[in-house]
Amino acid sequence: MSASIFPNSQLYETGYCALFARGISPAELLNRVSGGEIHPIPLTRLEADAVKAFGEDIDEADVPGLDVDDLHSSGILDNSGPLLRAGAHGDWSFAIESEGSYLARDEILQSVSRGTVALSTRLSETGSKWISYAEGGEIFSSFDPLFPQHDYGKNPAVLEELTAYREAIDSGDRSESYENAIRKIQRELQCAVPQETDAASLLAVRVAGKY
């Protein structure tokens, strides 16, 4: 798996959701996925891991360089909802959720894709995987890459014509269907999260009350 194509699963051993949107800023992406006013705070991936691990019990030693009072006032320590980080690479913004499946919800993808296009990918701790693609507020593709013939989107042909992901699945090992599909889709759409970009300080928010 290439970490330059999508979030490296070795860095997200308990799973992740990644959501991409073209032509909007990371702040706008977070606005759309949160559904309300947000107060983002910059966090690296390791700092976000510490926030998730310690929550309200976090102290200065756990996150050197961050102001714990700022973390409290931002609401980012509220563990009743997903912690999301967002950045940009190329023409796309992305949001990443470690664990959980909030970013994989249909209504989130529909909201994010209004006026643009969006792609979501989900890899759960149990190994289940899902890929969805939307344009203009409508989900065109929504499928398990192990069974790409069963697509619950309104117009699956669009993503196939753009990326030829089914050929990538069919020509590879079935156990690698998710990796092969994502690699082909993201290469053709030119959306990615390089490992160094993911590791950097990115805007982060907590969407409280969504668990």
Side-chain angles (χ1 to χ4, degrees):
M1 250 183 300
S2 171
S4 66
I5 299 298
F6 58 99
N8 188 338
S9 62
Q10 293 177 347
L11 301 178
Y12 294 91
E13 294 181 351
T14 54
Y16 68 83
C17 286
L19 181 58
F20 300 83
R22 188 165 58 198
I24 63 174
S25 69
E28 173 61 20
L29 177 55
L30 289 176
N31 268 313
R32 294 190 186 193
V33 301
S34 66
E37 186 177 356
I38 59 170
H39 302 283
I41 188 166
L43 293 178
T44 67
R45 180 175 52 78
L46 292 180
E47 289 168 345
D49 288 345
V51 166
K52 285 177 65 67
F54 295 105
E56 295 284 348
D57 296 327
I58 204 165
D59 61 36
E60 301 282 353
D62 300 318
V63 283
L66 292 181
D67 187 317
V68 171
D69 290 336
D70 287 346
L71 295 178
H72 279 279
S73 62
S74 72
I76 210 159
L77 301 180
D78 183 347
N79 63 6
S80 68
L83 175 63
L84 313 174
R85 296 171 63 243
H89 183 72
D91 294 333
W92 296 74
S93 288
F94 60 86
I96 296 180
E97 172 188 8
S98 176
E99 304 176 283
S101 58
Y102 177 75
L103 288 178
R105 296 180 182 182
D106 287 353
E107 63 268 26
I108 298 297
L109 185 63
Q110 290 167 330
S111 174
V112 167
S113 70
R114 291 193 177 99
T116 184
V117 300
L119 173 75
S120 74
T121 68
R122 174 169 58 87
L123 173 62
S124 76
E125 185 177 12
T126 62
S128 64
K129 299 155 186 175
W130 204 265
I131 299 170
S132 298
Y133 174 80
E135 295 186 4
E138 288 192 302
I139 298 175
F140 284 4
S141 281
S142 183
F143 64 96
D144 180 337
L146 279 175
F147 307 100
Q149 68 276 17
H150 301 303
D151 194 309
Y152 300 94
K154 293 184 176 181
N155 195 348
V158 171
L159 185 61
E160 171 60 18
E161 290 171 1
L162 286 172
T163 66
Y165 70 87
R166 290 196 182 186
E167 180 181 352
I169 292 175
D170 292 341
S171 62
D173 189 299
R174 190 169 187 270
S175 67
E176 298 175 351
S177 59
Y178 175 75
E179 289 82 0
N180 291 337
I182 288 297
R183 186 177 292 111
K184 189 69 164 70
I185 290 169
Q186 292 193 297
R187 181 178 293 124
E188 296 303 321
L189 296 182
Q190 298 186 343
C191 57
V193 184
Q195 184 171 327
E196 61 272 18
T197 301
D198 182 25
S201 185
L202 303 176
L203 294 180
V205 296
R206 180 80 75 167
V207 187
K210 295 299 182 180
Y211 282 151

